[in-house]
Amino acid sequence: MEPKDILTASNLKQTKPRLMVLDQIIGRNSAISQPELEKKLGKEVDRVTLYRTLSTFEEKGILHKIIDNAGTANFAICQSNCSSHHHHDEHLHFNCNQCKKVYCLDIKIPTTTIPANFTMESIQLLAHGICENCNTKA
Ligand SMILES: [Zn+2]
Ligand SMILES: [Zn+2]
Ligand SMILES: [Zn+2]
């Protein structure tokens, strides 16, 4: 999907920062970290706008956030079945120890039973190791 179609589908106005952020994220094979995104966007999108844009996208079910080993936020495009306030990104995430990239893997993480008085709203599973990119370089 094109950035502008994604915004239209979510009833979001087409603003330059929104289009720029989506442009950076679409078509990547890994998630993008917030610092990397800041660097790529440069001065055109200030920090506050970026922060707001990312949280809007998260709310709308466009992007999901993955916190990596270092505590940094990474963002990746959602699967098509995510919607406003309802994410279905229960797949395995992989954090490469070498290039530090976070990948969404097409592996469903097992659902689990938790004690009766707990309400689970989301579940994350982060694997660590060497990604295919770094493995083929070795
Ligand atoms: Zn999602
Ligand atoms: Zn790697
Ligand atoms: Zn993911």
Side-chain angles (χ1 to χ4, degrees):
M1 257 215 279
E2 291 288 309
K4 56 177 172 30
D5 299 328
I6 293 176
L7 293 179
T8 309
S10 297
N11 290 316
L12 289 172
K13 253 203 271 168
Q14 297 192 19
T15 65
K16 205 169 169 223
R18 284 175 181 163
L19 291 167
M20 285 176 77
V21 168
L22 286 176
D23 248 350
Q24 291 297 334
I25 294 176
I26 290 169
R28 292 173 55 99
N29 72 337
S30 62
I32 189 164
S33 72
Q34 198 160 336
E36 196 183 343
L37 202 47
E38 274 173 33
K39 215 162 71 188
K40 290 228 158 120
L41 297 172
K43 288 195 184 91
E44 291 220 57
V45 182
D46 64 80
R47 261 203 149 130
V48 180
T49 309
L50 178 61
Y51 183 83
R52 265 202 231 116
T53 304
L54 290 170
S55 55
T56 304
F57 285 166
E58 230 191 315
E59 249 169 57
K60 290 281 186 180
I62 297 171
L63 298 180
H64 60 287
K65 178 157 73 180
I66 309 111
I67 305 292
D68 69 16
N69 218 9
T72 306
N74 291 263
F75 294 88
I77 284 282
C78 283
Q79 306 302 312
S80 50
N81 56 356
C82 286
S83 56
S84 249
H85 301 283
H86 214 91
H87 283 274
H88 302 279
D89 303 293
E90 286 98 9
H91 48 252
L92 184 67
H93 287 115
F94 191 96
N95 196 182
C96 179
N97 289 332
Q98 265 173 39
C99 65
K100 314 290 181 204
K101 278 184 183 156
V102 173
Y103 295 84
C104 293
L105 299 184
D106 195 13
I107 297 167
K108 239 192 151 354
I109 62 176
T111 46
T112 184
T113 321
I114 55 165
N117 291 329
F118 291 81
T119 307
M120 185 159 70
E121 289 177 340
S122 67
I123 182 166
Q124 288 204 45
L125 193 60
L126 191 61
H128 305 280
I130 311 296
C131 75
E132 57 174 0
N133 214 2
C134 294
N135 258 328
T136 51
K137 267 188 241 158

